[in-house]
């Protein structure tokens, strides 16, 4: 029995009469009609769709012959499930009537993913069509002379200072050297941030902590004094509100610092910490294996002891009525980005999400997940980020990898495959709110990636002073412009890592966290970012428009967003497109009737136009 006709059959999905072929995630309880077209040469007498999950087969659904479509037979069947979860299916063809020997659900054939999520989830839509700006607070702008706190050092060389670094990656480093950026400085530059089209500001941790990065939380309920404390935070929220910009904070709940009021290894806080006494009320917030010096920590880093997310007191502290989540939502933030979301178990995440929604119905929870979050397995457990309302969105690292590969190698087929797979796996509300990134505080600067030399075996000392040549910067900026256009026009919202918009360089952490060089901006690149911001602001297609790949070959990637077609040329050849919007299988551009407009240039196209290498067009096809 032949059960696999890979590449020779076509599967379409319909929900409530609408073609939803691109989507593979649906509210639980809806009926999905599958329409399968199979070449008649296989003369299938009967077909089935086999639905299964990690827990075994969940059902078999007959696909009945309904029509003839050219050389194909068309079969249809309907699937509906009553429980949220991640499912898979395969289609079996050629089952004879009365045949008892049907394949096991694990046997042969192509496997596709199908998810069903809680229909009660009402995600916020204020982020759709917007732009996010990420700031590492110590490195953006110094707005007020703030005293240096005990144990910290101030590097006053804002423009040429080198961040403190370890001899080699993984070695201990104090991270206690600051450049003096603060919340007052961010508030003062809100007009600049708004000029990029930004609607959401995401801040790396701002709570009291010993380090400059603040991922070693010392006190969740205190804004760090070197960032301006509560007064600076209020000033920032006031400024953001004036410009219509929402604020999202970084939530670090997987671990604290060992120098914290909760662990208090060095006795710097007045509390009795978990490290100091087994009778401490915080002792069970952590996972000791041999008290007090052996305990679970993030990736074995002893200064970051892991919290016990199963402990009811810790969960109440984070997610309770007066917990961290609700406390800052009351103060005026709009949501959270959750650090290392994989380390937070499902019950904790669901509780956190519920707490946020209870406090502010349009709050947003974004998770740090580096892979496809729809089917992620972490610590041998399948995660339920979307099927159980744990996260509203995630950082879109798969896109970052695909965009970089496309920019460096012209790999159009790969970016088409990655984007299509992600959009098919995620609920549409997630796809429309994906945090599309090309750079973050955890990655090399995008200009360095696309234009500079790879870090290779160079030491941290060598990388600390490495600079791109003028030619490398020139070539890199061309590619950064295209990369930003892509993450801005694909479904989701672009997130700008501060300084990427003006051509900041930098290799791995901490060299990707230099101070913003005010007055030394690359104006060409900055103008491009502002232009894209205006496009997103003025075109509704970028809010939740459909996505369809049109062409992905030979370095050319073209896709549709409702009435817009985006074409990017990373080949070495000129691509003619009069007044073209489609690339057909003969690899020639097809035209539409009448002139069209390229909204990148504002030109009306009615004759042959050429799309040169390393350039793009956004065509309106009303």
């Amino acid at each position: 029995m032949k059960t696999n006709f890979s590449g020779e059959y076509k599967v379409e999905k319909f929900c409530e009469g609408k073609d939803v072929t691109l989507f593979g995630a649906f509210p639980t309880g809806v009926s999905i009609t599958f329409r399968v077209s199979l070449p008649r040469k296989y003369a299938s007498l009967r077909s089935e769709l086999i639905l299964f999950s990690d827990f075994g087969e969940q059902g078999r659904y007959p696909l009945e012959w309904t029509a003839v479509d050219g050389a194909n037979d068309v079969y249809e069947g309907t699937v509906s499930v009553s429980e949220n979860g991640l499912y898979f299916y395969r289609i079996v063809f050629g089952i004879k009537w009365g045949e008892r020997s049907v394949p096991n659900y694990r046997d042969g054939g192509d496997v596709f993913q199908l998810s069903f999520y809680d229909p009660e989830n009402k995600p916020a839509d204020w982020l759709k069509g917007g732009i996010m700006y990420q700031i590492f607070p110590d490195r953006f702008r110094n707005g007020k002379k703030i005293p240096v706190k005990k144990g910290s050092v101030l590097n006053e060389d804002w423009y040429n200072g080198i961040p403190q670094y370890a001899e080699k990656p993984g070695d201990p480093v104090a991270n206690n050297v600051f450049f003096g950026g603060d919340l007052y400085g961010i508030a003062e530059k809100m007009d600049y941030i708004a000029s990029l089209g930004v609607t959401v500001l995401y801040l790396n941790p701002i709570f009291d902590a010993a380090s400059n990065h603040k991922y070693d939380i010392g006190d969740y309920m205190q804004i760090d004094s070197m960032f301006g404390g509560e007064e600076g935070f209020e000033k920032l929220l006031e400024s953001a509100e004036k410009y219509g910009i929402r604020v999202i904070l970084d939530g670090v709940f997987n671990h604290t610092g060992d120098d914290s009021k909760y662990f208090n290894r060095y006795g710097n806080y007045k509390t009795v910490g978990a490290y100091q006494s087994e009778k401490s009320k915080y002792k069970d917030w952590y996972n000791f294996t041999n008290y007090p010096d052996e305990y679970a920590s993030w990736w074995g880093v002893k200064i970051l002891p892991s919290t016990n997310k199963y402990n009811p007191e810790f969960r109440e502290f984070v997610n309770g009525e007066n917990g961290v989540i609700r406390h800052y939502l009351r103060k005026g933030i709009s949501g959270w980005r959750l650090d290392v979301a994989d380390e937070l178990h499902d019950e904790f995440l669901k509780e956190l999400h519920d707490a946020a929604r209870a406090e502010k119905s349009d709050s947003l929870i974004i998770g740090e997940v580096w892979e496809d979050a729809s089917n992620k397995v972490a610590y041998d457990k399948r995660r339920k980020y979307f099927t159980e309302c744990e996260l509203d969105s995630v950082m879109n690292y798969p896109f970052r990898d695909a965009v970089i590969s496309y920019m460096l190698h012209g790999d159009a087929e790969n970016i088409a495959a990655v984007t299509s797979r992600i959009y098919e796996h995620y609920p549409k509300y997630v796809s429309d709110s994906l945090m599309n990134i090309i750079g973050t505080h955890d990655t090399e600067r995008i200009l360095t990636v696309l234009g500079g030399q790879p870090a290779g075996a160079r030491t941290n000392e060598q990388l600390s002073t490495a600079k791109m040549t003028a030619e490398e910067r020139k070539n890199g900026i061309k590619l950064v412009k295209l990369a930003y256009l892509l993450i801005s026009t694909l479904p989701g919202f672009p997130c700008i890592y501060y300084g990427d918009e003006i051509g900041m360089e930098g290799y791995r952490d901490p060299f990707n966290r230099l101070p913003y060089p005010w007055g030394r901006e690359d104006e060409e690149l900055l103008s491009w970012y502002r232009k894209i911001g205006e496009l997103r602001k003025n075109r509704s297609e970028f809010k939740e428009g459909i996505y369809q790949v049109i062409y992905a070959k030979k370095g050319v990637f073209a896709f549709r967003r409702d009435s817009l077609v985006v074409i990017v040329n990373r080949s070495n050849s000129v691509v003619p497109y009069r007044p073209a919007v489609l690339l057909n299988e003969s690899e020639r551009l097809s035209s539409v009737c009448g002139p069209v407009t390229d909204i990148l240039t504002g030109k009306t196209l009615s004759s042959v136009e050429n799309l040169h290498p390393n350039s793009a067009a956004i065509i309106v096809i009303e």
Side-chain angles (χ1 to χ4, degrees):
M1 182 193 313
K2 192 169 185 179
T3 62
N4 182 11
F5 300 92
S6 182
E8 295 191 61
Y9 62 92
K10 176 182 177 183
V11 179
E12 299 171 282
K13 299 189 289 289
F14 295 83
C15 179
E16 298 177 350
K18 299 178 182 178
D19 185 354
V20 290
T21 301
L22 292 176
F23 308 123
F26 303 94
T28 302
V30 302
S31 295
I32 310 301
T33 297
F34 286 78
R35 180 181 297 166
V36 183
S37 299
L38 179 71
R40 192 174 304 111
K41 63 183 179 180
Y42 294 117
S44 177
L45 296 178
R46 185 164 66 89
S47 302
E48 279 186 343
L49 183 149
I50 305 177
L51 188 71
F52 57 98
S53 70
D54 291 332
F55 307 103
E57 185 174 315
Q58 301 297 313
R60 296 188 177 224
Y61 302 85
L63 297 173
E64 306 290 351
W65 182 91
T66 58
V68 173
D69 180 14
N72 295 330
D73 283 326
V74 179
Y75 301 80
E76 289 190 7
T78 299
V79 174
S80 179
V81 302
S82 58
E83 293 187 12
N84 307 334
L86 176 68
Y87 297 85
F88 304 92
Y89 69 91
R90 56 167 40 100
I91 297 172
V92 179
F93 302 104
I95 303 172
K96 296 178 181 178
W97 294 110
E99 187 174 51
R100 295 179 179 275
S101 179
V102 294
N104 184 279
Y105 74 94
R106 298 180 184 276
D107 294 342
D110 299 318
V111 175
F112 305 96
Q113 183 173 309
L114 187 68
S115 297
F116 289 90
Y117 57 88
D118 189 343
E120 295 301 314
N121 192 27
K122 306 292 184 184
D125 65 0
W126 47 261
L127 191 49
K128 296 176 182 177
I131 296 175
M132 180 179 279
Y133 195 74
Q134 179 191 353
I135 291 179
F136 193 82
D138 180 54
R139 310 291 160 81
F140 187 66
R141 182 172 175 81
N142 183 300
K144 190 174 182 178
K145 196 72 173 180
I146 297 174
V148 178
K149 67 182 184 181
K150 181 182 177 181
S152 299
V153 178
L154 182 65
N155 184 335
E156 298 187 79
D157 190 356
W158 184 268
Y159 287 94
N160 299 301
I162 297 173
Q164 182 183 29
Y165 60 87
E167 183 176 346
K168 62 180 183 297
D171 282 357
V173 59
N175 281 314
N176 66 335
V177 177
F178 292 73
F179 282 87
D182 54 42
L183 302 180
Y184 292 105
I186 298 172
E188 289 176 0
K189 284 296 183 178
M190 205 65 70
D191 57 341
Y192 167 79
I193 295 169
S195 76
L196 297 166
V198 170
T199 57
V200 184
L201 179 62
Y202 155 46
L203 302 178
N204 287 110
I206 61 174
F207 308 127
D208 174 63
S211 73
N212 52 50
H213 58 69
K214 307 298 177 196
Y215 282 94
D216 54 333
I217 302 295
D219 186 345
Y220 288 100
M221 292 301 191
Q222 295 292 326
I223 306 299
D224 197 278
S225 62
M226 289 191 66
F227 289 168
E230 293 294 329
E231 182 183 279
F233 184 51
E234 290 174 9
K235 182 69 69 175
L236 179 135
L237 290 175
E238 289 173 7
S239 181
E241 184 177 17
K242 176 182 175 182
Y243 287 92
I245 294 175
R246 293 176 181 255
V247 176
I248 287 179
L249 297 184
D250 211 331
V252 186
F253 303 115
N254 173 67
H255 49 266
T256 68
D258 64 346
D259 188 6
S260 67
K261 68 180 295 184
Y262 319 108
F263 202 79
N264 209 10
R265 181 167 188 167
Y266 312 104
N268 289 328
Y269 291 84
K270 294 180 180 180
T271 55
V272 177
Y275 184 86
Q276 297 171 300
S277 171
E278 290 192 81
K279 295 181 180 180
S280 168
K281 67 177 182 178
Y282 302 117
K283 194 262 183 181
D284 291 335
W285 284 24
Y286 300 93
N287 300 287
F288 291 94
T289 54
N290 188 12
Y291 187 85
D293 291 314
E294 294 180 18
Y295 48 86
S297 58
W298 181 72
W299 282 35
V301 179
K302 301 296 284 185
I303 64 170
L304 299 175
S306 298
T307 55
N308 179 3
K309 274 72 69 178
Y310 291 97
N311 178 264
E313 285 77 22
F314 178 73
R315 290 167 69 161
E316 180 68 17
F317 173 74
V318 175
N319 301 327
E321 176 71 27
N322 297 307
V324 179
I325 295 300
R326 300 183 70 161
H327 173 74
Y328 287 99
L329 287 168
R330 287 187 195 121
K331 281 184 170 290
I333 72 166
S334 292
W336 294 87
R337 175 265 188 189
L338 300 182
D339 185 55
V340 291
D342 294 344
E343 310 280 344
L344 307 175
H345 61 76
D346 288 318
E347 293 81 3
F348 184 89
L349 279 177
K350 182 68 169 66
E351 205 172 70
L352 187 154
H353 189 276
D354 289 348
R357 287 292 173 81
E359 185 61 41
K360 189 171 287 188
S361 61
D362 66 347
S363 60
L364 192 76
I365 304 297
I366 301 174
E368 180 193 10
V369 181
W370 287 61
E371 303 85 7
D372 183 336
S374 71
N375 53 33
K376 176 69 185 281
V377 175
Y379 300 99
D380 299 320
K381 188 172 183 180
R382 183 82 72 179
R383 302 312 303 266
K384 303 175 182 178
Y385 298 132
F386 305 139
T387 57
E388 297 296 341
C389 299
E390 296 174 3
L391 299 175
D392 298 314
S393 180
V394 289
M395 302 176 75
N396 201 354
Y397 278 100
F399 274 23
R400 177 182 183 271
D401 295 341
V403 168
I404 288 174
S405 177
Y406 178 47
M407 290 298 105
L408 293 178
H409 310 297
D411 193 353
E413 294 87 346
N414 179 65
I415 192 171
V418 170
T419 54
S420 296
R421 181 174 67 250
I422 290 294
Y423 292 135
E424 185 173 352
H425 286 182
Y426 289 6
K428 190 173 187 303
Y429 75 83
V430 174
S431 296
D432 291 334
S433 300
L434 275 174
M435 185 175 168
N436 291 342
I437 52 177
I438 47 177
T440 74
H441 63 291
D442 286 325
T443 66
E444 293 183 345
R445 285 282 180 179
I446 188 61
L447 182 60
T448 298
V449 173
L450 298 183
Q453 298 297 317
R458 281 183 283 179
T459 65
N460 275 354
E461 182 178 7
Q462 292 170 320
L463 294 177
S464 70
T465 57
K467 298 293 182 184
M468 298 168 66
T469 67
E471 187 64 22
E472 286 173 341
R473 282 187 62 88
K474 180 181 178 181
N475 294 331
I477 284 171
K478 288 181 182 178
L479 298 183
V480 170
K481 289 166 73 173
L482 291 181
Y484 184 62
L485 179 142
L486 277 172
I487 67 167
S488 300
T489 54
L490 288 163
F493 65 90
C495 179
I496 305 168
Y497 180 47
Y498 82 98
D500 278 352
E501 76 277 14
I502 50 93
M504 286 183 66
E505 303 175 23
Y507 286 93
R508 60 185 174 238
D509 168 19
F511 312 117
N512 58 351
R513 303 174 181 180
L514 294 171
Y516 185 108
W518 295 103
R520 303 180 183 181
E521 297 86 352
D522 185 294
E523 294 295 340
E524 175 195 350
L525 189 55
L526 179 57
S527 177
W528 178 263
Y529 270 72
R530 285 172 169 160
K531 182 176 186 176
I532 299 299
E534 280 295 311
L535 289 178
R536 284 186 61 83
K537 180 179 178 180
N538 296 326
R539 299 298 307 198
S540 62
E541 292 91 342
F542 297 127
K543 184 175 183 179
E544 49 192 350
I546 61 99
Y547 170 72
Q548 179 185 6
V549 174
I550 295 172
Y551 188 85
K553 290 182 180 180
K554 299 182 178 179
V556 179
F557 180 42
F559 58 90
R560 182 171 178 174
R561 298 294 310 276
D562 286 352
S563 60
L564 298 180
V565 170
V566 180
I567 308 173
V568 179
N569 182 10
R570 269 295 288 131
S571 74
N572 295 318
S573 305
V574 171
V575 176
Y577 68 114
R578 185 222 70 85
V581 295
L582 301 178
L583 290 144
N584 60 29
E585 285 306 309
S586 63
E587 300 184 7
R588 292 178 300 179
L589 289 161
S590 305
S591 63
V592 295
C593 296
V596 295
T597 301
D598 179 355
I599 61 174
L600 268 184
T601 62
K603 293 171 61 176
T604 298
L605 310 177
S606 56
S607 59
V608 174
E609 295 284 343
N610 290 323
L611 192 62
H612 292 276
N614 298 327
S615 61
I618 303 178
I619 307 299
V620 182
I621 51 168
E622 302 291 357

